[in-house]
Amino acid sequence: GWQRYHGVLLSGQKRAANGLSANANYTWSTCEGTAQSNTGGNPLNVGTGYTRPQSLINPPANSKELFDLDKGPCTLSPTHIFNLTASAETPQFRSTAARVLGSGWRLSGIFRASSGNALRIVTGIDRSLDGLTTATQRVNQVLDNVYGDKTLNNWFNPAAFAQPAIGAYGNSGNNAYLGPGSRSIDLALVRLFRVGGTQRVEARVEAFNALNWLRPGNPNTTLSSATFGQILTSADPRIMQFGLKYQF
C-alpha cells in the first residue's frame, strides 16, 4: 500500500508581553492512498481491506488498475485543521488589597477546529460473494448529491446509494464522503498563592469543551443498517475539574 501527503502549514506567535501570549497554526492538506484502516489510517494488507483482493505472487496483468480502484482520501487526515492557544495573566498590583484579590490569576485556553474525516459507504452484506468482510465492500452511488440535510438524523441520503448486484462490486469511491467537522474550546483558570518564602499553593479550575458544544461523531456508513446515515455518537460534553497543588 501507499499514501501521499501534501500540506501547507501557517503559524503565528505573539510572544509574552504585558501578560498576554498567543500561538496559532492552520494546516491545509491533501492525502490520498490505497485502502486504509478506519481506526489507524494505515495501508492494509492485501485481502484485508481491498475491494478486489489479488495475489502479489502471481499478480494479474491489470494489477495496477485494480489497486487504483481502491485509491482515495486518507482515513484520518482532515483537509483543514486550526489551533489557537492563548494565555493572559493579571499584573502585580501595587495596592495591597488589589494585589491580594487580583494579582496572580492566569487564564489560558485552547481552541481547536477541523473539517470532517473521509468515510466510505459499505454494503454490510456480502454482495460480491467473495467471502471477505462486508466492512470493505462498497455500495453503488446512484445520485449526485449524497448528503441529506446534514443533521443528526439525516447526514447521508439513503436514496443516493444502492446495493450492488449479487456477484458484483460497487462503484462508489473509497473514502469519497465526508463526516462532520469538530470544534472545541478548553479553558483553565489558575491562581498561585505564596505561603512563606519557598512554599506555594496552586488552585486550578479547568473546563474541557467549555462551551458545551455538541461534537457529533461520524454517521453510520453501513447501508444495510436501519440507522444508515444517522449520527448516533458524540465526543464528550463539558467536563470540569478542580485541583489544588502544594509545592514546598
Side-chain angles (χ1 to χ4, degrees):
W2 59 269
Q3 291 178 357
R4 186 175 295 119
Y5 175 90
H6 299 279
V8 174
L9 172 64
L10 304 175
S11 62
Q13 180 185 60
K14 181 191 181 305
R15 299 183 182 276
N18 300 320
L20 297 175
S21 63
N23 288 277
N25 60 73
Y26 166 73
T27 302
W28 174 86
S29 65
T30 61
C31 179
E32 67 173 1
T34 47
Q36 306 127 43
S37 162
N38 276 333
T39 55
N42 298 316
L44 296 167
N45 292 325
V46 175
T48 59
Y50 292 82
T51 297
R52 295 163 177 79
Q54 55 183 297
S55 170
L56 292 181
I57 299 175
N58 298 300
N62 62 341
S63 175
K64 183 180 184 304
E65 177 185 345
L66 293 177
F67 271 124
D68 285 346
L69 291 173
D70 286 310
K71 182 173 65 176
C74 298
T75 302
L76 299 178
S77 184
T79 302
H80 305 281
I81 302 174
F82 177 76
N83 296 284
L84 170 66
T85 63
S87 178
E89 187 170 356
T90 57
Q92 293 296 318
F93 296 105
R94 294 184 177 181
S95 165
T96 301
R99 187 168 59 252
V100 170
L101 295 175
S103 295
W105 292 96
R106 185 172 72 252
L107 177 66
S108 56
I110 303 174
F111 172 71
R112 303 181 184 91
S114 67
S115 54
N117 287 319
L119 304 173
R120 61 173 174 255
I121 309 298
V122 297
T123 61
I125 308 170
D126 186 8
R127 302 289 292 187
S128 64
L129 303 181
D130 60 11
L132 294 178
T133 173
T134 58
T136 63
Q137 295 185 28
R138 301 196 295 273
V139 301
N140 284 335
Q141 180 180 328
V142 297
L143 296 177
D144 290 336
N145 184 13
V146 300
Y147 298 98
D149 53 14
K150 291 191 174 182
T151 60
L152 297 180
N153 291 322
N154 188 29
W155 186 266
F156 287 124
N157 176 17
F161 303 97
Q163 295 285 4
I166 295 296
Y169 295 102
N171 62 16
S172 63
N174 183 37
N175 286 349
Y177 313 102
L178 290 177
S182 177
R183 59 176 183 167
S184 67
I185 291 179
D186 301 333
L187 296 174
L189 181 63
V190 181
R191 174 75 191 271
L192 211 59
F193 301 90
R194 296 192 178 276
V195 182
T198 59
Q199 302 175 68
R200 298 189 301 177
V201 174
E202 180 184 275
R204 175 182 294 268
V205 180
E206 295 174 323
F208 304 96
N209 188 18
L211 299 184
N212 205 30
W213 283 330
L214 174 64
R215 297 180 291 165
N218 288 323
N220 186 332
T221 57
T222 302
L223 186 59
S224 62
S225 171
T227 58
F228 170 74
Q230 299 179 24
I231 297 176
L232 305 175
T233 62
S234 66
D236 289 332
R238 179 193 298 120
I239 295 176
M240 299 186 68
Q241 64 184 26
F242 306 87
L244 284 173
K245 181 167 67 175
Y246 173 57
Q247 296 177 316
F248 59 93

